[in-house]
């Protein structure tokens, strides 16, 4: 019988200043890497054009969100850009991990920091940064989604967020998109090979000793 590696799922936390290219990269990863699922967050903001409830986010009222906080349903949550609540529900993550699925979370730096402090679950954290602040501004402008006022707010937030880089396991600079994507894949594939994630180590020993 050939050796089969069995492991629990792994949680990948990805954070980045807004406009760094995090959504673009996550989208590509989900298409190209098998056994990787997205953790759909809850938010109190309105859906943007084209966004689908249950796929991009679960869109809920502030009242519903606060009820979920009271019921301790979140692994982490935060008020992002001082406006809306965003949170990751435990039920979105834990069942997938138990089934051996890897889960990718797109959360802001405050949320990532909460998980790092509380460590409710094993995880790998990755910080994506743009090649420069100037390029970040260019990307936010060329995305054409936010007002100039909103863009300035995001750039100011970025200056604060970068200070959290030291708490992360990995850093990826998103300069050339394809290079950043292959860095992310390399991180995911090496984490998947960590011996500490094996759940069938005893049966591997057995196969070698019972011949
Ligand atoms: P985030 O999710 O981090 O806010 P997006 O994925 O929406 O960022 O990317 C912001 C903008 O930058 C988008 O218009 C996207 O197409 C563009 N972009 C992403 N990665 C790169 C890259 N490596 N080079 C140039 N433009 C990029
Ligand atoms: P957007 O409104 O542009 O989709 O997202 C704004 C910010 O909220 C992004 O930085 C994104 O990473 C963050 N975000 C999305 N979901 C969550 C979440 O569940 N928790 C936290 N803390 N941040 C989130």
């Amino acid at each position: 019988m050939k050796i089969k590696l069995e492991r629990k799922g792994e949680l990948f936390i990805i954070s980045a200043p807004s406009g760094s290219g995090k959504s673009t990269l996550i989208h590509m990863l989900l298409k190209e890497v098998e056994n990787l699922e997205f953790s759909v967050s809850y938010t109190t903001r309105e859906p943007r054009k084209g966004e689908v409830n249950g796929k991009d986010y679960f869109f809920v009222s502030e009242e519903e969100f606060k009820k979920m906080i009271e019921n301790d349903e979140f692994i982490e949550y935060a008020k992002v850009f001082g406006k809306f609540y965003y949170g990751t529900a435990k039920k979105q993550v834990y069942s997938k991990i138990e089934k051996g699925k890897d889960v990718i979370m797109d959360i802001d730096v405050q949320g990532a920091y909460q998980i790092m402090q509380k460590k409710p679950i094993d995880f790998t954290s990755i910080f994506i940064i743009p090649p420069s602040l100037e390029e970040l501004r260019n990307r936010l402008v060329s995305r054409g989604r936010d007002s100039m006022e909103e863009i300035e707010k995001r750039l100011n937030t970025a200056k604060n967020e970068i200070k959290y880089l030291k708490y992360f396991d990995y850093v990826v600079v998103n300069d050339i998109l394809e290079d950043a994507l292959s860095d992310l894949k390399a991180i995911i594939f090496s984490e998947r090979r960590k011996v500490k994630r094996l759940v069938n180590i005893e049966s591997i020993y057995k196969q070698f000793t019972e011949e």
Side-chain angles (χ1 to χ4, degrees):
M1 206 167 60
K2 279 189 185 165
I3 297 286
K4 201 168 160 236
L5 303 179
E6 286 171 24
R7 57 181 189 90
K8 273 211 320 201
E10 161 79 347
L11 178 62
F12 293 96
I13 299 176
I14 301 205
S15 289
S18 177
S20 305
K22 179 179 43 149
S23 314
T24 308
L25 284 163
I26 291 178
H27 194 73
M28 294 167 95
L29 278 175
L30 290 167
K31 255 201 204 151
E32 296 183 24
V33 179
E34 87 308 338
N35 202 52
L36 189 63
E37 294 196 2
F38 185 61
S39 154
V40 181
S41 296
Y42 283 74
T43 182
T44 58
R45 83 153 162 74
E46 290 293 312
R48 295 194 188 106
K49 211 167 148 241
E51 283 184 331
V52 178
N53 188 34
K55 183 169 169 275
D56 299 289
Y57 284 104
F58 292 105
F59 297 98
V60 293
S61 66
E62 193 161 318
E63 198 187 339
E64 285 171 285
F65 198 97
K66 287 188 170 158
K67 194 160 259 161
M68 289 179 74
I69 298 176
E70 262 171 45
N71 295 338
D72 195 26
E73 291 183 48
F74 291 116
I75 301 178
E76 63 70 39
Y77 68 90
K79 211 170 199 181
V80 181
F81 305 127
K83 266 206 251 173
F84 302 108
Y85 285 102
Y86 293 81
T88 311
K90 292 176 183 168
K91 65 179 175 207
Q92 277 295 311
V93 174
Y94 293 158
S95 60
K96 289 180 178 142
I97 299 277
E98 282 308 316
K99 283 186 210 141
K101 299 273 178 210
D102 292 328
V103 176
I104 199 160
M105 255 163 91
D106 165 350
I107 62 174
D108 88 315
V109 169
Q110 309 168 67
Y113 189 65
Q114 279 178 45
I115 298 183
M116 289 166 190
Q117 295 299 300
K118 286 196 272 173
K119 298 191 179 68
I121 183 169
D122 198 22
F123 62 88
T124 298
S125 56
I126 309 169
F127 202 109
I128 297 174
I129 52 176
S132 66
L133 198 61
E134 196 190 347
E135 174 62 11
L136 183 63
R137 185 190 299 270
N138 292 342
R139 287 184 192 171
L140 284 166
V141 172
S142 65
R143 181 166 70 181
R145 199 185 72 192
D146 307 297
S147 65
M148 281 320 284
E149 192 194 338
E150 187 62 34
I151 287 175
E152 285 311 317
K153 207 179 210 177
R154 281 168 197 243
L155 288 169
N156 275 327
T157 306
K159 290 178 193 169
N160 192 42
E161 286 172 328
I162 196 75
K163 295 180 192 146
Y164 286 79
L165 174 60
K166 63 178 179 230
Y167 299 114
F168 283 74
D169 297 318
Y170 292 97
V171 60
V172 170
V173 179
N174 180 22
D175 186 359
I176 310 294
L177 191 66
E178 286 304 326
D179 291 350
L181 181 66
S182 75
D183 281 1
L184 286 169
K185 284 184 182 169
I187 294 166
I188 293 172
F189 293 144
S190 17
E191 286 295 325
R192 284 179 171 181
R193 287 291 168 264
K194 282 203 165 150
V195 171
K196 72 171 183 186
R197 308 215 191 283
L198 283 177
V199 293
N200 65 332
I201 198 156
E202 288 301 328
S203 78
I204 294 174
Y205 291 157
K206 238 171 151 186
Q207 268 185 261
F208 273 81
T209 49
E210 285 183 355
E211 289 253 313

